[in-house]
Amino acid sequence: MTETMLLVPMRTAKQGVALNQGKLKDAYKKETSTVEIKQEDMDRLGLKTGDRVRLRAGTEEVIVSCKPRKEGKKVQDTATGIIFLPYGPISSALMTDGDTAGTGMPDSKHLIVEIEGPLAQEESDG
Amino acid sequence: MDSSVAAEPNIRVVKNATCTFCGCVCDDMELTVDLDQKRITKAKNACVLGKAWFAEHSVDESRPVAMIEGKEVSLDEAIDEAAKILVNARFPVIYGMSNSTSEAQRETVKMADLLSANVDSTSSVCHGPTGMGLQGVGEPTTTLGEVKNRADMIVYWGCNPSDCHPRLSTHYAVNPKGMYIPNGRKDRTVINVDVRSTTTTNIADVFVQVKPGSDFELLWGLRILVRGGKLNPAFEEQTGVPIDVIENLASRLMSCNYGILFFGMGLTMTRGRHYNASALHMLATDLNEHTHFVVKPARGHGNVTGADTVMSWQTGYPFGINFNRGYPRHEPGEFTTTDIMCRGEADAACIIASDPMANFAKPAIDHMKKIPMISFDPKPTPTSQAARVAFTTACYGINTPGTVYRMDDIPIPLRPAFESPFPSDLDILKPLVKRIRELKRAQY
Amino acid sequence: MSSALRIVNGKIYDPANNIDGEVRDICIQDGKIVESVPGDTPKIDAHGMVVMPGGVDIHSHIAGPKTNLARKFQPEDHRYDPHPGTEFTRSGAGGIVPSTFATGYRFATLGYTTVMEAAVPPLSARHVLEELEDTAILDKGYYVLMGNNSFLHRMLEKGRMEEFRNAVAWWLNASKAYTIKLVCPGGDEQWKGDKNATINQIDEKIHSFDITPRQVIKALIDTANDLGLPHPAHIHCNNLGHSGNYTTTLDTMRAAEGRKAHITHIQFNSYGGEPGKNPTSKAKEISDFINENPNISADVGQVMFGKSVSMTADAPLAWMLRHVKERKWINCDTECESGCGIIPFEYQQNVYTHTLQWAIGLELFLMAKDPWRMVLSTDHPNGGSFLNYPRLIRLLMDRDFRKQEAAAVNQKALLSTSLLDLDREYSLQEIAIVTRAAPARLLGLKHKGHLGVGADADITIYDEHENREEMFKTARYVLKDGHLFIKNHEFCADPVGRIYQVAPDYDKKIEDEIRPFFDEYYSVQFDNYPVFDTHVETEIVPTYPVQ
């Protein structure tokens, strides 16, 4: 199934810990290649934790795994259609537009992507 | 001597050490250091990020101090090659600095001046837009101790300190007791504004969920209310926040004794960027007609604030600076590194203690792959891998002394835990500047 | 290269040694002025030129956190005034708050070689010291803010004066500062703690403390005298900028009770009139008091028309000024120590208040009987840039020029002052007093501000010119510690200046009291707060404590 969603790259404590171990190490690579999706979006797309999905922005595409987004404990969070991925080489690869509107800062936290998944095993290996 | 008996470990305890991982720059670390192993075995008072920072910065003596094209070379050879790359470039870019001491930053700007180079820090893809907001409308602000002592209203807007600056709440802003906040957390109200709930939402009294890309409108709506106006129902449609919620928020902000708005990339990296930062600064300014209100960008890297500070005092401008006319010029969008790389203008780059190859937009990374780069980093990164000349450096704060500026501009000293066999940024920059000067003199 | 030099044929103005325009040789060896040098020593021929000690500025805002914020938030001002580098010097930005290197070079171009930064909270000590290290050429030091210090307020509240004095001495050592600065004592507490309120009179109670500004002022003046600091407490009075504030100023000076005190930019505190209404000049009342009380010294804080920026630890003042034009505004609270406000500003000739301020400053200069105690400043950049000094000197030296300038200002304001009745013209000797000899003496810098044997060879040589503004704008030669670095108006070297500090003795037991206060109320560790000796190289100026 394919849908258009808003990708917001973000920081997580896990990513912060992992980058101290080293950006070329597995823990960092894993954390920065796991996209977080709201449970109801996961259900709609038929995704389970650990499934592989394709994210496409312009001519670029990456394959990442997914997991349900942890929400605040006390509040109703209605942010659907937004997915979150810890910053790293993968989120940068999807930042295909370097335009900064004269500020130096690209729209780093506002990437429109197509999400496709779950992918079959052979496709995500390729 | 019986080699099976472990020697008494050579342990040292460093009190009041400083963690330079994030902009909180907590200086109450108690480090237990195994001097034989050259590693920190315990970091008392550190948060989860700080613990990882201290635990993982051991010394890997198998790494070469310097490499050219991936091959080990002496430090002198690498410095000579780096100097030649920079002197021969027509548009050299110097970038990074946010994980370096202010002493090294001062030398970096000196190098840029000497080279007539472009110089920029990671601020330009962090709180650079906040700096532009400051330039446009000013900024009421404070040191973190005054938040601890006085703030009864804490707003976290577009930031998630529970994940990214864990001790901002526990050590400085929310939990501690202060001079006029005798009961700590109980005496404070915490409001979280974000596009989604986060771990920070869990510690907040109020959560306001704003539609992605409409922070500016929500801030402007609050300004209207604080200035005594009424809101058009369109604000609700635009921001996704019911009018009564905005009104309630405004009245809470106006009725506190001492309020602070902390904010993050949720404002600077989305639609509006510096307009968002300006709107937030103006909201706080307006609130000062009713009470005392301040703002504080939650800065990322340990000394990114120092980079802004040092560049401001040496050049007059905080980031995005070009010396190619023989004096500093500042223009975000023109002299900021992402733009220069995306336009394919730079023909060499010196990346100090940062990793643009992992963080920049795709077109910028594509250009950086084509030009000779020099990198300074304690660890291998995508940037060091792509660099023609790569220096392995000692880690600031863990191995090297100096000063860093906390997110509130307060200078904090470093107490190194153990010596590194690798040179500090400053140890490389000084001979590099000297070599550049020699080569430039020879050119005339 | 020999470090000896002889300056010949110049007219020497050295008021500290009673030399008033005589043609004499000045001999220099190893950075100092000496009796004589060998005959074959290299010479500078200063024929037709005026030789003075290097200028000494007692009060300017050139470095530190608020100066840097003012720099950072005015790119529009730097843009039109670039400061290119040379083979010998660093580049930078100019404007109302130049970058650090440019500040040093521009002061040096005017012939100044020593400048004091006027107000920094101790928590930012490392910051100001790092900036001062990057301020080219000049010798410098800074004054540390103590008038809104919560710990000191507590000591005072309990009447523990011995501990108060020890704590002040600890703070001076910890921050490597030069003297004690008071800015609107008690006012920042009100500002931060009581929803932006302020304090006006020195006998009002300070918010949440059972003391008054008068007690703070008296205690800090006494402490500076008791510790024997080279320069006494340096005071920005309460109620600054408000109509009717001259009584506050008189009260503050009386609070010194005969002991030494320095009132800074006193022009801003010499206003009559009703609060909230137009001010009037009370320059005469202020001058009379100072003329009669030799324990008091002051710098003027002259307002010059054109661009300025108000940057002050007096946060409520900046907030008041913000309401004038709603321009961009910075406020910065410093925990337990200070407040700060910054606002771009412009003094305009047609505005009543601005003209009045301009005229009051000139009145204060022209009414001062003892120029050794009323010295030159513009409170850079508050009253205008230090680059206005040459013009200000011309206003003082040239009555016709003064009248000509007065014709263009707000006449209603002008005529409410006595400026047009004051015919005095400063002599070159008096200019040498108010720009070098007197500030050096007030600062207790014994090797500065004069050309006697043993003095630091900081020397400025100006081409003599009838137009005094032109004359003082660019020195032909300037030497720092005997090192010639401006030659024929051009930089030929970039010598590094010193940083001065004081280090008065104190009873170390006070640290046991300050430490728990830090644990509770500061955001930095007590042990990390004092500037490490390894951080910056300073020269300690001796103190002479009262036994």
Side-chain angles (χ1 to χ4, degrees), chain C residues 391-452:
Chain C
R391 190 172 186 82
L392 175 54
I393 289 170
R394 188 174 179 202
L395 284 167
L396 298 177
M397 294 190 74
D398 183 340
R399 186 171 48 223
D400 293 338
F401 177 64
R402 200 157 66 221
K403 296 224 157 110
Q404 182 191 316
E405 291 291 290
V409 302
N410 181 302
Q411 294 301 302
K412 186 178 161 208
L414 179 73
L415 295 173
S416 77
T417 73
S418 59
L419 184 62
L420 292 179
D421 304 329
L422 297 168
D423 282 341
R424 179 173 173 186
E425 287 183 330
Y426 269 53
S427 64
L428 273 177
Q429 185 75 335
E430 283 175 314
I431 292 298
I433 293 171
V434 298
T435 58
R436 37 266 284 164
R441 186 176 286 181
L442 295 175
L443 287 167
L445 290 171
K446 298 199 164 89
H447 305 297
K448 302 286 182 199
H450 70 99
L451 299 174

Coordinates of all heavy atoms in Angstrom, one line a residue, chain C residues 391-452:
Chain C
R391 N 35.7 64.7 18.1 CA 34.8 65.8 17.9 C 34.4 66.4 19.3 O 34.3 67.6 19.4 CB 33.5 65.2 17.3 CG 32.5 66.2 16.9 CD 31.4 65.5 16.1 NE 30.4 66.5 15.6 CZ 30.7 67.2 14.4 NH1 31.7 67.0 13.7 NH2 29.8 68.1 14.0
L392 N 34.3 65.6 20.3 CA 34.1 66.1 21.6 C 35.2 66.9 22.1 O 35.0 68.0 22.7 CB 33.9 64.8 22.6 CG 33.7 65.1 24.1 CD1 32.6 66.1 24.3 CD2 33.4 63.8 24.8
I393 N 36.4 66.5 21.8 CA 37.6 67.4 22.2 C 37.5 68.7 21.5 O 37.7 69.8 22.1 CB 38.9 66.6 21.8 CG1 39.1 65.4 22.8 CG2 40.1 67.6 21.9 CD1 40.2 64.5 22.4
R394 N 37.1 68.7 20.3 CA 37.0 70.0 19.6 C 35.9 70.9 20.2 O 36.0 72.1 20.4 CB 36.7 69.8 18.1 CG 36.7 71.1 17.3 CD 36.6 71.0 15.8 NE 36.6 72.3 15.2 CZ 36.1 72.6 14.0 NH1 35.5 71.6 13.3 NH2 36.1 73.8 13.5
L395 N 34.8 70.2 20.6 CA 33.7 71.0 21.3 C 34.2 71.6 22.6 O 33.8 72.7 23.0 CB 32.5 70.1 21.6 CG 31.6 69.7 20.5 CD1 30.7 68.5 20.9 CD2 30.8 70.9 20.0
L396 N 35.2 71.0 23.3 CA 35.7 71.5 24.5 C 36.7 72.6 24.3 O 36.9 73.5 25.0 CB 36.3 70.4 25.4 CG 35.3 69.3 25.8 CD1 36.0 68.2 26.6 CD2 34.2 69.9 26.7
M397 N 37.5 72.4 23.2 CA 38.6 73.3 22.9 C 38.3 74.5 22.1 O 39.1 75.5 22.0 CB 39.8 72.5 22.2 CG 40.4 71.5 23.1 SD 41.9 70.8 22.4 CE 43.0 72.1 22.7
D398 N 37.1 74.5 21.4 CA 36.9 75.5 20.4 C 35.5 76.1 20.6 O 34.5 75.5 20.2 CB 37.0 74.8 19.0 CG 36.8 75.7 17.8 OD1 36.3 76.8 18.0 OD2 37.2 75.3 16.7
R399 N 35.5 77.3 21.3 CA 34.2 77.9 21.6 C 33.4 78.2 20.4 O 32.2 78.0 20.4 CB 34.5 79.2 22.4 CG 33.4 79.9 23.0 CD 33.9 81.0 23.9 NE 34.9 81.8 23.2 CZ 36.1 82.2 23.8 NH1 36.3 81.9 25.1 NH2 37.0 82.9 23.2
D400 N 34.0 78.7 19.3 CA 33.3 79.0 18.1 C 32.6 77.8 17.5 O 31.5 77.9 17.1 CB 34.2 79.7 17.1 CG 34.7 81.0 17.6 OD1 34.0 81.6 18.5 OD2 35.8 81.5 17.1
F401 N 33.3 76.7 17.5 CA 32.8 75.5 17.0 C 31.6 75.1 17.8 O 30.5 74.7 17.3 CB 33.8 74.4 17.0 CG 33.3 73.1 16.5 CD1 32.9 72.9 15.2 CD2 33.3 72.0 17.4 CE1 32.4 71.6 14.8 CE2 32.9 70.7 17.0 CZ 32.4 70.6 15.7
R402 N 31.7 75.2 19.1 CA 30.6 74.9 20.0 C 29.4 75.7 19.7 O 28.3 75.2 19.6 CB 31.1 75.1 21.5 CG 30.3 74.4 22.5 CD 31.2 74.2 23.8 NE 31.5 75.4 24.5 CZ 32.6 75.7 25.0 NH1 33.6 74.9 24.9 NH2 32.8 76.9 25.6
K403 N 29.6 77.0 19.5 CA 28.4 77.9 19.2 C 27.8 77.5 17.9 O 26.6 77.5 17.8 CB 28.9 79.3 19.2 CG 29.4 79.7 20.6 CD 28.9 81.1 21.0 CE 28.9 81.2 22.6 NZ 30.0 82.1 23.1
Q404 N 28.7 77.2 17.0 CA 28.2 76.8 15.6 C 27.3 75.5 15.7 O 26.3 75.4 15.2 CB 29.4 76.6 14.8 CG 29.2 76.2 13.3 CD 30.6 75.7 12.7 OE1 31.6 76.4 13.0 NE2 30.5 74.7 12.0
E405 N 27.8 74.6 16.5 CA 27.1 73.3 16.7 C 25.8 73.6 17.4 O 24.7 73.0 17.1 CB 27.9 72.3 17.5 CG 29.1 71.7 16.7 CD 28.7 70.9 15.5 OE1 28.2 69.7 15.8 OE2 28.8 71.3 14.4
A406 N 25.8 74.5 18.4 CA 24.7 74.8 19.2 C 23.5 75.4 18.4 O 22.4 75.3 18.8 CB 25.0 75.7 20.4
A407 N 23.9 76.0 17.3 CA 22.9 76.6 16.5 C 22.0 75.6 15.8 O 20.8 75.9 15.5 CB 23.6 77.5 15.4
A408 N 22.4 74.4 15.7 CA 21.7 73.4 15.0 C 20.8 72.5 15.9 O 20.2 71.6 15.4 CB 22.6 72.5 14.2
V409 N 20.9 72.7 17.2 CA 20.2 71.8 18.1 C 18.8 72.4 18.5 O 18.5 73.5 18.1 CB 21.1 71.5 19.4 CG1 22.4 70.9 19.0 CG2 21.2 72.8 20.2
N410 N 18.1 71.6 19.3 CA 16.8 72.1 19.8 C 17.0 73.3 20.7 O 17.6 73.2 21.8 CB 16.2 70.9 20.6 CG 14.8 71.3 21.1 OD1 14.6 72.2 21.9 ND2 13.8 70.5 20.7
Q411 N 16.5 74.5 20.3 CA 16.8 75.7 20.9 C 16.1 75.8 22.3 O 16.7 76.4 23.2 CB 16.5 76.9 20.0 CG 17.3 77.0 18.8 CD 18.8 77.1 19.1 OE1 19.3 78.0 19.8 NE2 19.6 76.1 18.6
K412 N 15.0 75.2 22.4 CA 14.2 75.3 23.7 C 15.1 74.6 24.8 O 15.2 75.1 25.9 CB 12.9 74.6 23.5 CG 12.0 74.8 24.7 CD 10.6 74.1 24.5 CE 9.9 73.8 25.8 NZ 9.0 72.7 25.7
A413 N 15.6 73.4 24.4 CA 16.4 72.7 25.4 C 17.7 73.4 25.6 O 18.1 73.6 26.8 CB 16.7 71.3 24.8
L414 N 18.3 73.9 24.6 CA 19.6 74.6 24.7 C 19.5 75.8 25.7 O 20.3 76.0 26.6 CB 20.1 75.0 23.3 CG 21.4 75.8 23.4 CD1 22.6 74.8 23.6 CD2 21.7 76.5 22.0
L415 N 18.4 76.6 25.4 CA 18.3 77.8 26.2 C 17.9 77.6 27.6 O 18.0 78.5 28.5 CB 17.3 78.8 25.5 CG 17.8 79.2 24.1 CD1 16.7 80.0 23.4 CD2 19.1 80.1 24.2
S416 N 17.4 76.4 27.9 CA 17.1 76.1 29.3 C 18.4 75.7 30.1 O 18.4 75.5 31.3 CB 16.1 74.9 29.4 OG 16.8 73.7 29.2
T417 N 19.5 75.6 29.4 CA 20.8 75.4 30.0 C 21.7 76.6 30.0 O 21.3 77.6 29.4 CB 21.6 74.2 29.3 OG1 22.1 74.8 28.1 CG2 20.7 73.0 29.0
S418 N 22.8 76.5 30.6 CA 23.7 77.7 30.7 C 24.9 77.5 29.6 O 25.8 78.3 29.7 CB 24.3 77.9 32.1 OG 25.0 76.7 32.4
L419 N 24.7 76.6 28.7 CA 25.8 76.3 27.8 C 26.4 77.5 27.1 O 27.6 77.7 27.0 CB 25.4 75.2 26.9 CG 26.6 74.7 26.0 CD1 27.7 74.1 26.8 CD2 26.1 73.7 24.9
L420 N 25.4 78.3 26.6 CA 25.9 79.4 25.8 C 26.6 80.5 26.6 O 27.4 81.3 26.1 CB 24.7 80.1 25.0 CG 24.1 79.2 23.9 CD1 22.9 79.9 23.3 CD2 25.1 78.8 22.9
D421 N 26.4 80.4 27.9 CA 27.1 81.4 28.8 C 28.5 80.9 29.2 O 29.3 81.7 29.8 CB 26.3 81.6 30.1 CG 24.9 82.1 29.8 OD1 24.7 82.7 28.7 OD2 24.0 81.7 30.5
L422 N 28.8 79.7 28.9 CA 30.1 79.2 29.3 C 31.2 79.4 28.2 O 31.1 78.7 27.1 CB 30.0 77.7 29.6 CG 29.0 77.4 30.8 CD1 28.7 75.9 30.9 CD2 29.6 77.8 32.1
D423 N 32.1 80.2 28.5 CA 33.1 80.6 27.4 C 34.4 79.8 27.5 O 35.3 80.0 26.7 CB 33.4 82.1 27.6 CG 32.3 83.0 26.9 OD1 31.5 82.4 26.1 OD2 32.2 84.1 27.3
R424 N 34.5 79.0 28.5 CA 35.7 78.3 28.7 C 36.1 77.5 27.5 O 35.3 76.9 26.8 CB 35.5 77.3 29.9 CG 36.7 76.5 30.3 CD 36.5 75.8 31.6 NE 37.6 74.8 31.9 CZ 37.5 74.0 32.9 NH1 36.4 74.0 33.7 NH2 38.5 73.2 33.2
E425 N 37.4 77.4 27.3 CA 38.0 76.6 26.2 C 39.0 75.7 26.9 O 39.9 76.2 27.6 CB 38.6 77.4 25.1 CG 37.6 78.0 24.2 CD 38.2 78.7 23.0 OE1 39.3 79.2 23.2 OE2 37.6 78.8 21.9
Y426 N 39.0 74.4 26.7 CA 40.0 73.5 27.2 C 41.3 73.8 26.5 O 41.3 74.0 25.3 CB 39.6 72.1 27.1 CG 38.8 71.5 28.3 CD1 37.7 72.2 28.8 CD2 39.2 70.3 28.9 CE1 37.0 71.6 29.9 CE2 38.5 69.8 30.0 CZ 37.4 70.5 30.5 OH 36.7 70.0 31.5
S427 N 42.4 73.7 27.3 CA 43.7 73.8 26.6 C 44.2 72.4 26.3 O 43.6 71.4 26.7 CB 44.7 74.4 27.6 OG 44.9 73.5 28.7
L428 N 45.2 72.3 25.5 CA 45.8 70.9 25.2 C 46.2 70.2 26.5 O 46.0 69.0 26.6 CB 47.0 71.0 24.2 CG 46.7 71.1 22.7 CD1 48.0 71.3 22.0 CD2 45.9 69.8 22.3
Q429 N 46.7 71.0 27.4 CA 47.1 70.4 28.7 C 45.9 69.8 29.4 O 45.9 68.7 29.9 CB 47.8 71.4 29.5 CG 48.4 70.9 30.8 CD 49.7 70.1 30.6 OE1 49.9 69.5 29.5 NE2 50.5 70.0 31.6
E430 N 44.8 70.5 29.4 CA 43.6 70.0 30.0 C 43.0 68.8 29.3 O 42.5 67.9 29.9 CB 42.5 71.1 30.1 CG 42.8 72.1 31.2 CD 41.8 73.3 31.3 OE1 41.6 73.9 30.2 OE2 41.3 73.6 32.3
I431 N 43.1 68.8 28.0 CA 42.7 67.6 27.2 C 43.5 66.4 27.6 O 43.1 65.3 27.8 CB 42.7 67.9 25.7 CG1 41.7 68.9 25.3 CG2 42.6 66.6 24.9 CD1 40.2 68.5 25.5
A432 N 44.8 66.7 27.8 CA 45.7 65.6 28.2 C 45.3 65.1 29.6 O 45.5 63.9 29.9 CB 47.2 66.1 28.2
I433 N 44.8 66.0 30.4 CA 44.4 65.6 31.7 C 43.2 64.7 31.6 O 43.2 63.5 32.1 CB 44.1 66.8 32.6 CG1 45.3 67.6 33.0 CG2 43.4 66.3 33.9 CD1 45.1 68.9 33.7
V434 N 42.1 65.1 30.9 CA 40.8 64.4 31.0 C 40.9 63.1 30.1 O 40.0 62.3 30.2 CB 39.6 65.3 30.6 CG1 39.5 66.4 31.6 CG2 39.7 65.8 29.2
T435 N 41.8 63.0 29.2 CA 41.9 61.8 28.3 C 43.0 60.8 28.7 O 43.0 59.8 28.1 CB 42.0 62.2 26.8 OG1 43.3 63.0 26.7 CG2 40.9 63.0 26.3
R436 N 43.9 61.2 29.5 CA 44.9 60.3 29.9 C 45.4 60.4 31.3 O 45.4 59.4 32.1 CB 46.1 60.2 28.9 CG 46.6 61.5 28.3 CD 46.1 61.9 27.0 NE 46.6 61.2 25.9 CZ 46.0 61.2 24.7 NH1 44.9 61.8 24.5 NH2 46.6 60.5 23.7
A437 N 45.9 61.6 31.7 CA 46.6 61.7 33.0 C 45.6 61.4 34.1 O 45.9 60.6 35.1 CB 47.2 63.1 33.2
A438 N 44.4 62.0 34.1 CA 43.5 61.9 35.2 C 42.9 60.4 35.2 O 42.8 59.8 36.3 CB 42.4 62.9 35.1
P439 N 42.4 59.9 34.1 CA 41.9 58.5 34.2 C 42.9 57.6 34.7 O 42.6 56.7 35.5 CB 41.5 58.2 32.7 CG 41.4 59.5 32.0 CD 42.2 60.5 32.7
A440 N 44.2 57.7 34.3 CA 45.2 56.8 34.8 C 45.3 57.0 36.3 O 45.4 56.0 37.0 CB 46.5 57.1 34.1
R441 N 45.3 58.2 36.8 CA 45.5 58.4 38.2 C 44.3 57.9 38.9 O 44.4 57.2 40.0 CB 45.7 59.9 38.5 CG 46.0 60.3 39.9 CD 46.2 61.7 40.1 NE 47.5 62.1 39.6 CZ 48.0 63.4 39.7 NH1 47.2 64.3 40.2 NH2 49.2 63.7 39.2
L442 N 43.1 58.1 38.4 CA 41.9 57.6 39.1 C 41.9 56.1 39.1 O 41.3 55.5 40.0 CB 40.6 58.2 38.4 CG 40.4 59.7 38.5 CD1 39.2 60.1 37.6 CD2 40.2 60.1 39.9
L443 N 42.4 55.5 38.1 CA 42.5 54.0 38.1 C 43.6 53.5 38.9 O 43.7 52.3 39.1 CB 42.7 53.6 36.6 CG 41.5 53.7 35.7 CD1 41.9 53.5 34.2 CD2 40.4 52.7 36.1
G444 N 44.5 54.3 39.4 CA 45.6 53.9 40.2 C 46.6 53.1 39.4 O 47.4 52.3 39.9
L445 N 46.7 53.4 38.1 CA 47.7 52.8 37.2 C 48.9 53.8 37.2 O 49.0 54.7 36.4 CB 47.1 52.6 35.8 CG 46.0 51.6 35.7 CD1 45.4 51.6 34.3 CD2 46.6 50.2 35.9
K446 N 49.8 53.4 38.0 CA 50.9 54.4 38.3 C 51.9 54.6 37.1 O 52.5 55.6 37.0 CB 51.7 53.9 39.5 CG 50.9 53.9 40.8 CD 51.7 53.9 42.0 CE 50.9 54.3 43.3 NZ 50.3 53.2 43.9
H447 N 51.9 53.5 36.2 CA 52.8 53.6 35.1 C 52.1 54.2 33.8 O 52.7 54.2 32.8 CB 53.4 52.2 34.8 CG 54.0 51.6 35.9 ND1 55.1 52.1 36.5 CD2 53.7 50.5 36.7 CE1 55.5 51.4 37.6 NE2 54.6 50.4 37.7
K448 N 50.9 54.6 34.0 CA 50.1 55.0 32.8 C 49.9 56.5 32.9 O 49.9 57.1 34.0 CB 48.8 54.3 32.7 CG 48.9 52.8 32.6 CD 49.3 52.4 31.3 CE 49.3 50.9 31.2 NZ 50.2 50.4 30.1
G449 N 49.5 57.1 31.8 CA 49.0 58.5 31.8 C 50.1 59.6 32.0 O 49.7 60.7 32.2
H450 N 51.3 59.2 32.0 CA 52.3 60.2 32.1 C 53.6 59.7 31.4 O 53.7 58.6 31.0 CB 52.6 60.6 33.6 CG 53.4 59.5 34.4 ND1 54.7 59.6 34.6 CD2 52.9 58.4 35.0 CE1 55.1 58.5 35.3 NE2 54.0 57.8 35.5
L451 N 54.6 60.7 31.3 CA 55.8 60.4 30.5 C 57.0 60.6 31.4 O 58.1 60.8 30.9 CB 55.8 61.4 29.3 CG 54.7 61.2 28.3 CD1 54.8 62.3 27.2 CD2 54.7 59.9 27.6
G452 N 56.8 60.4 32.7 CA 58.0 60.5 33.6 C 58.8 59.2 33.5 O 58.4 58.2 33.0

